[in-house]
Amino acid sequence: MKRGFCAIGLALFTLLGPSPLAADVQFSVSSGSEQLEERLRGASALLPFENPASLPSQDVIAAARSEYGRLVAVLYERGYFGPVVSVRLDGREASAISPFRPAAPIQTVTVQVDPGPLFHLGSASIAPLAQGTTLPEGFSSGAVAGTPILRQAAEAGIDAWRLQGHAAANISNQSVVARHAAAELDVDIEVSPGPLAYFGSLQTSGQERMRLDRILAIAGLPEGEQFDPRTVQRVAQRLRSTGAFSSVALTESAIDDDGSLDIEADLVEAPLRRIGFGAELSANEGAGLSAYWLHRNLFGGAERLRLDGEVTGLGGQNGGFDAQFSAVYSRPATFTPDTVAEFAFRLEHLDEVTFTEDSVELSAGLSHRFSDTFSASGAVELSYSDVSDGFSNREVTILSTPFEVIWDRRDDPLDAREGWYLQGDITPFSIFEDTGGARFSFDGRGYIGFGEDNRTRLAGRLQLGTIEGGSIATLPPDWLFFSGGADTVRGQDYQSLGAMQAGVLTGGRSFIGTSVELRQDLFGNFGGVLFFDAGYVTSGSYWSGSDDWHSGAGIGIRYDTPIGQIRLDVATPTSGANSGQDLSLYIGIGQSF
């Protein structure tokens, strides 16, 4: 039999996933919880053997000899440091059988586990600690012992020193002693901070087309500054965000005598070009098709050129088809490592129920990422539109300066289970043929998860918009606000809710949109959604006036794929005017918000 050691080193153990119980392997646990027995069964290397006699005896013996370590690892993890584990093959203890000696086929396998008493921490100390170190709550005298809490305490001690510039901080000594009579574990961990370190140079390897000067500019490693592991993470994130690399691995070199620490970057460049396609389908909005072509490294400095084409409203019930083509050139690390310069060109044709518009737009701007969650951008845009609506046939030229901020705290932007997202923008503008003004919009989303792994989520969205200034008979219709359709109120016809202004049905100067979804993981890759949407459009700025609102509700199915979730929603209007059908179908990729 194998008994747990009295002195236990800090260790990491890899456990296999759960395996089905095999009829020819007898497995028993004398005490402990059902969860403990489940974990032990999941870690077993023998349970998957449905018929040990049909396997080479050496394979069964090797698995049996590894069984001790696997099961003891689970027991230590849960705080059982005095276990007795017996693994018998045809009645003989497996630890006494040589795996290299030929043996007859093994007929019976018996595993018996006695977890012993649950251990608690007696004395628990770790020193020296950097100022501001936060140890895990369970690392204290009297708490249930277990290898995870020891590991977490050691990591907390090391991480705090690294945050203060001691890059080589490590565990210099540790004493972990089990006192079986008292069922207690005494722990004493010594931390060695090591010397202060300062960033040296970035040493790169693996690049082929990328220029070294541009890699260094994008990475932005602050040579000479005190070491900070968060800076290393940000350097890696900057390189990855360019899209020019399929792999970025940073490692810390040894600290030189002068305290400098070089960072080694092992880079693998991504393919230069990429193409993509998309499609959406709505019962009343028709089909939409999109495609793009992307060049990731145009001039050897991670410059990107992206061409997009999109056609929507094909076969739709409202208006004709809409089409758009755009070209965007972006250059990272312009002025600062976190600033991207962008130049864009866009052509657009809109054929809606209340207007038609052909437009062309040129823009130049900068975007800056202040952190992993907060960014801002600003641009100068010049647009020309040829408009036909209930007011007139006219040409409109607008000079605008949009400014946008995004604060994204979602755990997963593609399928958030917790967190929130805020986007706000303001666009001052001047119409050459008229006066100027400003357009404001806001998009806020929140997510709350419930239950195990947040399998149930409540998602909410609030959209706000208003426009001040500019004559209603001059403004391009696509600058105004409409409600209805997949992006606002499902179940209502696309842009079916506008406002009466100067006796003409057109878009409104203000908009409020709300959406609530209850999302539930079902089975496998499938999920279900219940949703309710509402929209309100007014003719006056800042939501003044007594105009109309409408709403819709429905159910949806989600199917998770490697390229994103396939979304299918069925909605019906619940209030407000709707000129379409009672049920609307929406098919697309990704969550609705």
Side-chain angles (χ1 to χ4, degrees):
M1 294 186 180
K2 291 286 184 178
R3 184 176 294 276
F5 301 102
C6 289
I8 305 161
L10 197 65
L12 293 171
F13 299 99
T14 303
L15 305 179
L16 297 181
S19 304
L21 177 61
D24 296 316
V25 178
Q26 303 301 315
F27 193 105
S28 64
V29 181
S30 62
S31 62
S33 65
E34 292 183 3
Q35 286 185 338
L36 175 63
E37 182 171 350
E38 183 180 346
R39 289 294 302 273
L40 289 167
R41 289 179 177 275
S44 174
L46 290 170
L47 278 175
F49 294 164
E50 296 182 359
N51 184 10
S54 66
L55 302 173
S57 59
Q58 290 89 343
D59 292 351
V60 180
I61 294 171
R65 290 173 66 89
S66 73
E67 190 85 342
Y68 299 104
R70 291 172 177 270
L71 301 184
V72 168
V74 173
L75 292 163
Y76 285 177
E77 182 184 75
R78 292 302 182 96
Y80 296 91
F81 290 93
V84 176
V85 178
S86 174
V87 182
R88 292 183 175 274
L89 307 178
D90 290 338
R92 297 176 60 195
E93 196 67 36
S95 60
I97 303 175
S98 172
F100 305 106
R101 188 171 182 176
I106 295 168
Q107 303 298 321
T108 63
V109 177
T110 304
V111 180
Q112 295 177 324
V113 180
D114 179 6
L118 179 64
F119 277 60
H120 292 74
L121 289 175
S123 62
S125 64
I126 177 171
L129 294 177
Q131 184 177 1
T133 303
T134 302
L135 294 176
E137 292 183 5
F139 190 74
S140 60
S141 180
V144 174
T147 52
I149 198 66
L150 307 185
R151 182 169 59 249
Q152 292 165 15
E155 291 173 349
I158 292 173
D159 291 346
W161 279 114
R162 283 173 56 82
L163 286 172
Q164 295 197 10
H166 296 264
N170 64 90
I171 302 300
S172 58
N173 192 26
Q174 57 186 346
S175 173
V176 186
V177 178
R179 292 188 284 110
H180 291 268
E184 289 185 339
L185 202 70
D186 293 333
V187 180
D188 183 18
I189 302 174
E190 296 180 14
V191 183
S192 174
L196 269 175
Y198 299 87
F199 284 118
S201 60
L202 184 69
Q203 305 292 326
T204 67
S205 62
Q207 70 270 21
E208 298 177 1
R209 295 175 291 268
M210 279 287 294
R211 306 195 311 269
L212 178 59
D213 62 316
R214 290 294 297 154
I215 294 176
L216 298 179
I218 293 167
L221 185 70
E223 295 187 23
E225 290 189 10
Q226 183 173 297
F227 170 84
D228 189 326
R230 294 167 297 190
T231 300
V232 178
Q233 295 173 0
R234 192 158 189 180
V235 166
Q237 194 275 334
R238 288 167 179 159
L239 292 169
R240 294 189 185 105
S241 65
T242 64
F245 304 103
S246 59
S247 174
V248 175
L250 301 186
T251 56
E252 301 164 15
S253 301
I255 301 175
D256 293 338
D257 293 339
D258 61 357
S260 64
L261 173 66
D262 291 341
I263 304 297
E264 298 179 1
D266 185 10
L267 308 173
V268 178
E269 293 186 358
L272 282 177
R273 299 168 185 84
R274 181 178 180 179
I275 59 174
F277 304 91
E280 291 198 0
L281 178 65
S282 168
N284 51 29
E285 296 171 35
L289 302 174
S290 62
Y292 74 86
W293 176 90
L294 172 68
H295 196 298
R296 291 188 173 97
N297 191 7
L298 203 59
F299 303 121
E303 301 90 352
R304 295 162 64 97
L305 176 63
R306 175 165 173 153
L307 307 179
D308 281 84
E310 181 180 24
V311 179
T312 59
L314 298 173
Q317 301 176 6
N318 304 303
F321 73 90
D322 301 337
Q324 177 179 290
F325 170 80
S326 64
V328 179
Y329 169 84
S330 59
R331 180 182 186 272
T334 300
F335 304 127
T336 79
D338 295 307
T339 305
V340 177
E342 186 173 283
F343 302 89
F345 168 78
R346 181 176 62 87
L347 284 173
E348 187 172 31
H349 168 76
L350 299 175
D351 187 353
E352 309 297 345
V353 174
T354 59
F355 71 90
T356 60
E357 178 180 350
D358 294 301
S359 62
V360 58
E361 179 182 280
L362 296 172
S363 66
L366 298 171
S367 63
H368 185 84
R369 179 174 290 275
F370 294 91
S371 69
D372 290 339
T373 61
F374 186 75
S375 62
S377 62
V380 176
E381 296 181 352
L382 179 64
S383 64
Y384 165 83
S385 301
D386 186 356
V387 178
S388 178
D389 60 12
F391 292 107
S392 64
N393 297 327
R394 61 190 183 279
E395 297 178 354
V396 185
T397 304
I398 299 179
L399 178 65
S400 61
T401 54
F403 177 78
E404 178 185 68
V405 294
I406 296 176
W407 199 356
D408 190 349
R409 298 294 300 271
R410 294 173 292 182
D411 59 345
D412 181 357
L414 299 179
D415 184 19
R417 293 174 179 262
E418 287 185 327
W420 42 266
Y421 170 92
L422 302 176
Q423 176 187 3
D425 66 73
I426 175 173
T427 304
F429 65 87
S430 176
I431 302 177
F432 285 19
E433 301 82 359
D434 193 12
T435 60
R439 189 180 193 270
F440 307 86
S441 68
F442 169 82
D443 186 356
R445 312 172 191 182
Y447 309 86
I448 301 175
F450 304 93
E452 184 179 357
D453 298 326
N454 292 332
R455 292 177 59 84
T456 304
R457 283 95 63 201
L458 185 64
R461 184 182 191 184
L462 173 65
Q463 300 178 79
L464 300 174
T466 190
I467 187 169
E468 170 68 27
S471 168
I472 192 65
T474 305
L475 280 166
D478 63 326
W479 277 61
L480 301 174
F481 297 98
F482 295 86
S483 181
D487 292 331
T488 52
V489 179
R490 287 161 287 185
Q492 299 285 349
D493 285 350
Y494 175 66
Q495 293 192 353
S496 58
L497 182 61
M500 292 297 296
Q501 304 199 69
V504 176
L505 179 60
T506 184
R509 285 184 175 270
S510 298
F511 166 69
I512 299 176
T514 62
S515 296
V516 178
E517 289 194 349
L518 180 63
R519 302 172 181 175
Q520 176 66 51
D521 293 343
L522 298 176
F523 54 88
N525 291 342
F526 284 93
V529 174
L530 298 176
F531 60 85
F532 175 81
D533 302 334
Y536 178 66
V537 177
T538 72
S539 58
S541 301
Y542 309 112
W543 308 279
S544 61
S546 56
D547 291 272
D548 293 330
W549 68 285
H550 62 181
S551 62
I555 61 174
I557 294 293
R558 305 290 184 265
Y559 182 77
D560 202 13
T561 73
I563 62 171
Q565 290 200 339
I566 303 299
R567 179 180 76 252
L568 186 152
D569 290 335
V570 178
T572 185
T574 55
S575 65
N578 181 79
S579 59
Q581 51 199 16
D582 291 337
L583 290 178
S584 298
L585 177 70
Y586 305 89
I587 300 175
I589 297 177
Q591 293 283 10
S592 56
F593 62 89

